[in-house]
Amino acid sequence: MHHPNKTAHAVIESPEFKRLVSKRWSVSLLLTITILVIYIGFLLVVAFDKELLATKIGSYLPLALPIGFGIIVTAWLLTGIYVFWANNTYDTEVQEIKNKINAN
Amino acid sequence: MLTSSLLLQASALPAASTLGTANPVSIIMFFLFVLITLYITYWAAKKTKTGSEFYAAGRNISGFQNGLALAGDYMSAASFLGIAGMVATKGYDGLIYSIGFLVGWPLIMFLIAEPLRNLGKYTFADVVAYRLQQRPIRIVSSVGSLLTIAFYLIAQMVGAGGLIKTLFGLQYELAVVVVGCVMTAYVLFGGMLATTWVQIIKAVLLLSGATVLVILSLATFNFSPANLFQSVADKYGEAMLSPGGFITNPFDALSLGLALMLGTAGLPHILMRFYTVPDAKAARKSVFVATGFIGYFYILTFFIGFSAMVLVGKPIIEGIDKGGNMAALLLAEQTGGTAFLGFIAAVAFATILAVVAGLTLSGASSISHDLYVHVFQKGVSNEKGEMKVAKRATVALGILSIVLGLVFKGQNVAFMVGLAFSIAASANFPALLMSIIWKKFTTQGAVWSIATGATLSLVLIVLSPTIWVDILQNSEAIFPLKNPALVSMSAAFLTGIVVSLVNPEPEAAEKFESEKLRTYLGIGAE
């Protein structure tokens, strides 16, 4: 049977495609784990060691404030890193594979 | 010391008194908002004929616009007034909530945004059902969607009625009816295009209003956040600036954190927005833009809360509303006078309208696209018939939301928001994620996973301290955690995995190849 699934199978089994998928998940999972560790770590510190977050930096500012803002900003920066990677590396590779499929 | 704080209170009291009376500025501002958005609806109505136009705005929204609209969908009045109020009355603990609401966004980006855009058509059930059997998946996932939407909608409607009563002195019932009718008009006539522009305008108004409010407040402290925090510490103690009693049990913390974080990635009205953009690249950009705006907004809310605590004072804020929900509005009046209060009040009202419109649209899509087409019509889509059902569903949901708003009058709505997030995190998110990444996922696995997540969320929240103790007045909760997500979500994942492994579906595994091609390369994406 000559059916588009045959090409789909060939593409999926190709080393380029496999590399693309595994690279995509390495980046995604690395970033996912980073944000989970940051947030869950923060919650655990809140639950177990409130004093640590109440530690003063300077004359009155507790550590909790810059950490809180820092997590918000970091979350945003991580999405930015992903967009940058995807727009530059991932999309280029996707285009290469697509060109190859069209050429066949 | 005592006299100075008394003086401060005395000077603040008369200012607070305009709340609850009809403020001409807010009424004019609000009518202006409604007129402009209805005009947009009229314009959008002419462009909204096909299903793709009704559900997905013809996939013509740009990444930046969709980012703003996503932010608009997400920044509800509950997060604006609720978090500012929480910070104003409880201090730093309010920030823990907003961080939880924000950190779900990176996960949407890393795990589901692109596959969702590449695989789906109008609803997230499209993705789950992609290689599984349509009927059972469509039925359970629309139950998951509709439950999430219903609880979120009740919370918004009840909040709207109460808010408008406090703001305009308008009757609760009248307020609920007005909100229900205007949002039905947006969705019914303008579909996703009108809803998107309502969200964009609302997001811009909310972000600029909150920015001006922070600037006016910081002016009192010589534009120095340090002075603001110093005043908080001087007036209410240093403990206000760091975590307090909000989180004591680590499991409770983790459970709430997971619900807030992963619930975002399971909210049907948020997921639906990914179909309004042309491709995966634009979907990525929207998440980046949305995360930026939402993060900025939460940082602003934090300053608003602390400024209100110092400038308006905790006793006055808590005197008007125990939960502190009026803190931002009292601060607006204090710093910008009655006219500015009117502006912020109108923005808060507009915010509710926009959020309920987004919820209603996603509910209507689930009924017409998932249930009507794929369950009753067995997948044979007849565009005209589908649109008719979508519009009837919109009217029905409009009426239902008014009725629910009236029935639940005076109820505590915080747990309903918690429940909506918990169902989204437990019923919708696990099935969505497993269908994208796991080859061996089966129809039975998905059905059982969704059913387990939804049922456990409902049952456990009834047995939790939130309902069992606080509402039903029992002395001790049967289930110890305030939020069930830790258990219900883990159970949903586990059930999905075990059921899929016990009873494999070779056909689904085989179709995973073509799904994969589309997920990663976007080939064949609509």
Side-chain angles (χ1 to χ4, degrees):
Chain A
M1 243 198 354
H2 278 280
H3 157 305
N5 271 346
K6 200 105 187 184
T7 17
H9 183 75
V11 174
I12 282 161
E13 290 301 319
S14 71
E16 300 100 307
F17 186 81
K18 284 187 166 166
R19 213 166 32 234
L20 178 84
V21 172
S22 86
K23 209 192 272 178
R24 199 257 178 203
W25 284 107
S26 324
V27 173
S28 293
L29 287 179
L30 181 73
L31 290 169
T32 301
I33 291 166
T34 311
I35 192 75
L36 283 173
V37 166
I38 292 175
Y39 180 58
I40 294 174
F42 170 70
L43 285 179
L44 292 178
V45 175
V46 169
F48 286 113
D49 194 358
K50 287 194 176 57
E51 285 74 33
L52 178 69
L53 288 170
T55 315
K56 301 260 172 51
I57 43 170
S59 57
Y60 63 93
L61 194 71
L63 199 57
L65 285 170
I67 287 189
F69 292 144
I71 295 176
I72 291 181
V73 175
T74 309
W76 182 59
L77 290 178
L78 290 176
T79 61
I81 290 172
Y82 183 83
V83 175
F84 184 80
W85 171 79
N87 283 354
N88 292 289
T89 311
Y90 186 78
D91 281 355
T92 320
E93 285 175 30
V94 166
Q95 205 45 55
E96 277 166 17
I97 295 180
K98 274 181 162 174
N99 290 343
K100 241 182 173 174
I101 297 173
N102 290 337
N104 282 335
Chain B
M1 207 42 200
L2 190 70
T3 41
S4 75
S5 78
L6 277 177
L7 272 177
L8 197 78
Q9 279 189 27
S11 67
L13 266 178
S17 62
T18 45
L19 264 181
T21 53
N23 175 333
V25 179
S26 53
I27 291 170
I28 292 170
M29 284 297 307
F30 180 69
F31 272 102
L32 206 63
F33 176 83
V34 171
L35 277 178
I36 292 172
T37 47
L38 284 178
Y39 178 76
I40 288 172
T41 308
Y42 167 75
W43 160 79
K46 288 187 280 188
K47 299 185 166 201
T48 302
K49 305 246 159 22
T50 66
S52 149
E53 284 154 359
F54 182 79
Y55 299 118
R59 312 199 197 283
N60 271 328
I61 306 291
S62 79
F64 185 82
Q65 288 166 346
N66 195 46
L68 261 180
L70 273 170
D73 252 323
Y74 202 60
M75 298 180 298
S76 64
S79 39
F80 176 42
L81 302 175
I83 290 177
M86 219 189 276
V87 174
T89 54
K90 297 195 169 65
Y92 185 83
D93 285 350
L95 186 65
I96 300 176
Y97 242 96
S98 34
I99 293 174
F101 279 123
L102 185 80
V103 288
W105 285 91
L107 290 188
I108 291 186
M109 174 78 103
F110 308 148
L111 300 175
I112 58 175
E114 298 161 6
L116 197 68
R117 175 65 195 82
N118 284 341
L119 292 175
K121 195 173 180 194
Y122 302 137
T123 65
F124 82 85
D126 292 335
V127 178
V128 184
Y130 192 83
R131 65 190 149 108
L132 304 177
Q133 292 162 35
Q134 296 289 327
R135 276 169 68 101
I137 298 294
R138 298 284 175 176
I139 294 172
V140 280
S141 53
S142 52
V143 172
S145 291
L146 291 171
L147 276 177
T148 315
I149 292 164
F151 288 110
Y152 215 79
L153 204 53
I154 295 173
Q156 295 293 333
M157 291 304 276
V158 175
L163 176 71
I164 288 154
K165 196 178 147 199
T166 324
L167 288 181
F168 300 89
L170 207 68
Q171 250 188 319
Y172 176 93
E173 285 77 10
L174 187 63
V176 167
V177 172
V178 169
V179 170
C181 291
V182 178
M183 68 89 170
T184 308
Y186 292 156
V187 178
L188 185 62
F189 301 111
M192 186 50 117
L193 188 58
T195 309
T196 302
W197 282 100
V198 170
Q199 301 292 14
I200 292 175
I201 297 173
K202 162 253 171 115
V204 170
L205 281 176
L206 190 57
L207 287 164
S208 50
T211 305
V212 174
L213 184 53
V214 168
I215 293 174
L216 289 177
S217 309
L218 279 181
T220 334
F221 300 96
N222 288 323
F223 294 103
S224 154
N227 286 349
L228 166 64
F229 296 135
Q230 181 80 71
S231 319
V232 170
D234 289 347
K235 228 176 148 186
Y236 296 100
E238 282 166 357
M240 280 293 163
L241 297 171
S242 54
F246 180 59
I247 288 174
T248 40
N249 176 343
F251 290 109
D252 231 346
L254 199 60
S255 197
L256 177 73
L258 286 175
L260 298 181
M261 198 176 189
L262 300 172
T264 305
L267 292 175
H269 66 300
I270 297 291
L271 300 178
M272 192 184 178
R273 287 230 142 268
F274 289 100
Y275 306 122
T276 65
V277 291
D279 53 27
K281 198 184 184 112
R284 252 177 240 149
K285 189 175 175 185
S286 5
V287 184
F288 179 63
V289 170
T291 314
F293 279 125
I294 296 167
Y296 170 70
F297 175 73
Y298 282 142
I299 291 176
L300 289 182
T301 343
F302 196 63
F303 279 102
I304 293 171
F306 273 141
S307 301
M309 188 190 253
V310 175
L311 296 175
V312 182
K314 259 168 84 167
I316 293 178
I317 296 170
E318 285 171 337
I320 289 185
D321 174 274
K322 258 210 168 137
N325 289 318
M326 294 299 131
L329 295 149
L330 290 167
L331 180 70
E333 186 165 42
Q334 183 92 356
T335 54
T338 318
F340 192 52
L341 167 71
F343 174 73
I344 296 288
V347 170
F349 200 171
T351 291
I352 294 172
L353 269 181
V355 173
V356 290
L359 286 166
T360 305
L361 181 59
S362 70
S365 316
S366 188
I367 292 171
S368 57
H369 182 65
D370 295 334
L371 285 182
Y372 172 75
V373 176
H374 289 95
V375 177
F376 294 106
Q377 298 291 95
K378 306 202 164 70
V380 188
S381 174
N382 146 7
E383 185 110 18
K384 260 193 178 156
E386 185 174 349
M387 278 303 91
K388 209 190 244 170
V389 175
K391 298 208 160 178
R392 285 185 187 161
T394 305
V395 175
L397 284 170
I399 295 170
L400 185 73
S401 64
I402 293 173
V403 172
L404 291 173
L406 298 178
V407 170
F408 284 89
K409 180 182 177 178
Q411 287 295 313
N412 173 311
V413 295
F415 85 88
M416 286 186 204
V417 177
L419 186 51
F421 269 80
S422 170
I423 295 177
S426 314
N428 306 344
F429 176 71
L432 182 62
L433 186 66
M434 286 190 279
S435 73
I436 292 172
I437 60 174
W438 194 34
K439 187 177 176 179
K440 290 179 181 163
F441 198 44
T442 66
T443 305
Q444 292 295 318
V447 168
W448 283 101
S449 168
I450 295 174
T452 308
T455 318
L456 266 184
S457 295
L458 278 170
V459 172
L460 292 181
I461 207 151
V462 171
L463 303 178
S464 76
T466 324
I467 294 196
W468 202 252
V469 177
D470 295 350
I471 295 179
L472 298 176
Q473 307 287 330
N474 292 298
S475 59
E476 208 165 314
I478 297 173
F479 178 71
L481 303 179
K482 284 183 199 144
N483 194 296
L486 184 62
V487 175
S488 53
M489 193 184 69
S490 313
F493 269 116
L494 203 67
T495 314
I497 293 168
V498 170
V499 174
S500 298
L501 289 178
V502 168
N503 207 345
E505 192 177 338
E507 208 182 312
E510 208 174 286
K511 282 191 200 155
F512 190 60
E513 288 205 331
S514 67
E515 174 173 339
K516 229 172 155 179
L517 204 64
R518 190 155 149 181
T519 308
Y520 295 100
L521 304 181
I523 292 172
E526 286 183 60

